[in-house]
Amino acid sequence: MVQALLLPRPARDDAPRRGLNVADVQERFAGGRGYLAACTAGLPTRAAHAAMVADADAAARGRVDVAGYSAAAERSRAHFAALVGVAPSRVAIGSQTSVSAALVAASVPAGGEVLCVENDFASLLLPFVHAPQGLRLRAVPLGELADSVTSETAMVVFSLVQSATGEVADERAIRAAAARHGARTFCDATQAVGWLPVDASGFDALVCHAYKWLCAPRGVAFLALSEEFERELPALFAGWYAGGDPWTSCYGHEVDLADDATRFDVSPAWQAFVGAEPALELFATADLEAVHDYTTGLAAIFRRGLGLEIPQIPSAIVTWDDPDGCDLARLTAAGITASGRAGRARVAFHVFNDDVDVEIALAALGR
């Protein structure tokens, strides 16, 4: 039986276990059988679903709680900050990856070299490609990124986990290489935070859209900034919520922006944060080392069943060549929600999945 292989790995010496265990987190979801697509969009928790339904019902009755929306956004900021190991004052509220990437791209001097990963997610790269000051992009394979940093590199831009392949970057090697050459680092952790423990404090900037592994509604994103790098960014998208006191910053041009990373806030998508807040709280209080071991353990068993190589750095995402889409069609016909990207079939194992999901997916593929 597959279940007999689900042995927990020992805790890492530098990351003691803490928080809710996997079983406790699983209980917060209503289901997930056959849903192997957290890398596309996460499932709402029971609390998030209840909060969004209650809010919609209240609004339909003429009871819109604007102050409550703002409070939910601020609690969400704090939960995300706790998840990635920084203070809430270091986190800006956003809506999309590309918006945050455009803000970061604006800090790179004209003609500066931006080192990136071949076939990384377009929303991360295109703002640098189309930056008005003109930048030089150089793309290399993920495994060569650290060794490709030079004294000419102004910024290293990469996803911590590749969307198309599920590969996990050696972020320590990348950060070390960037530091040696005086390059800034910008990391997209959208495919990581929620199953992979992430420390944003080691990067100049880290962006995360929370609708995937953090199971929040779409339209909730965060940008974590180092204090030093924050001072180099222009407040391109400043609006009323970027003010030191947003509720007194609604009118006129003589508005004092916040004196920390919240000066880069965009106005929150209110209803989305109603659902995001309980989801983010759940993951902020979970034992993410245990979640990591559980999700990558399921992925490893699936890999063995397909005869795929186990990566040196474990991933909760598994992809394999499927140029004609036949394997994706088999999964879909079996009632499994999966995805196809860049000529590859792709499945993801999150905390709401279990060994039965592994078995039914392998059976659907005839393994």
Side-chain angles (χ1 to χ4, degrees):
M1 291 293 291
V2 172
Q3 190 171 12
L5 299 176
L6 291 180
L7 300 176
R9 298 188 310 173
R12 296 187 179 92
D13 293 339
D14 60 347
R17 294 187 180 278
R18 58 178 177 80
L20 296 174
N21 61 36
V22 170
D24 289 333
V25 178
Q26 287 175 327
E27 289 178 357
R28 271 60 171 188
F29 291 89
R33 174 68 65 234
Y35 189 82
L36 302 181
C39 53
T40 301
L43 299 180
T45 66
R46 295 178 189 272
H49 176 260
M52 289 186 288
V53 170
D55 175 66
D57 287 345
R61 296 192 302 271
R63 299 291 184 267
V64 175
D65 184 4
V66 173
Y69 291 149
S70 183
E74 293 306 318
R75 288 193 297 269
S76 295
R77 188 203 308 270
H79 293 320
F80 181 79
L83 268 165
V84 298
V86 298
S89 61
R90 304 260 51 81
V91 175
I93 286 174
S95 58
Q96 306 292 339
T97 297
S98 57
V99 175
S100 292
L103 179 66
V104 174
S107 73
V108 183
E113 179 185 272
V114 176
L115 179 64
C116 63
V117 177
E118 291 178 349
N119 299 315
D120 211 331
F121 198 70
S123 292
L124 179 66
L125 301 183
L126 291 183
F128 291 89
V129 173
H130 298 285
Q133 72 271 36
L135 303 175
R136 294 181 292 116
L137 264 70
R138 180 163 60 95
V140 299
L142 178 63
E144 299 175 14
L145 189 62
D147 291 336
S148 299
V149 184
T150 73
S151 58
E152 296 295 313
T153 305
M155 180 170 287
V156 184
V157 176
F158 67 101
S159 292
L160 187 53
V161 179
Q162 290 293 301
S163 175
T165 65
E167 293 176 274
V168 182
D170 185 350
E171 54 98 3
R172 291 186 179 181
I174 295 168
R175 287 192 291 109
R180 284 196 301 273
H181 294 285
R184 295 292 191 189
T185 53
F186 178 36
C187 175
D188 182 353
T190 299
Q191 290 286 9
V193 183
W195 70 268
L196 179 66
V198 174
D199 182 0
S201 65
F203 300 100
D204 292 296
L206 179 143
V207 66
C208 178
H209 201 156
Y211 76 103
K212 294 182 183 288
W213 296 89
L214 289 173
C215 299
R218 186 168 169 85
V220 174
F222 301 96
L223 177 65
L225 297 167
S226 71
E227 188 170 359
E228 179 186 3
F229 184 54
E230 172 207 315
R231 293 193 288 268
E232 299 181 10
L233 295 180
L236 289 180
F237 310 114
W240 73 278
Y241 211 78
D245 178 9
W247 293 104
T248 62
S249 304
C250 299
Y251 303 104
H253 67 281
E254 295 181 352
V255 171
D256 292 327
L257 298 183
D259 59 4
D260 53 27
T262 66
R263 71 191 288 116
F264 305 111
D265 283 354
V266 298
S267 182
W270 281 336
Q271 290 82 359
F273 277 89
V274 170
E277 191 272 325
L280 291 166
E281 180 182 24
L282 173 61
F283 286 101
T285 55
D287 180 348
L288 286 185
E289 283 290 332
V291 171
H292 170 273
D293 292 349
Y294 180 80
T295 56
T296 58
L298 291 175
I301 295 167
F302 182 77
R303 285 178 179 275
R304 294 188 190 102
L306 284 185
L308 299 175
E309 183 179 353
I310 304 297
Q312 184 175 2
I313 305 177
S315 178
I317 302 173
V318 183
T319 70
W320 63 97
D321 288 336
D322 186 32
D324 54 8
C326 287
D327 279 350
L328 179 58
R330 293 185 183 99
L331 292 169
T332 302
I336 297 168
T337 302
S339 54
R341 294 292 186 273
R344 302 176 69 82
R346 183 179 70 163
V347 296
F349 296 94
H350 206 355
V351 68
F352 44 70
N353 298 122
D354 59 23
D355 55 292
V356 176
D357 290 307
V358 176
E359 291 178 344
I360 62 175
L362 291 174
L365 295 169
R367 307 299 201 273

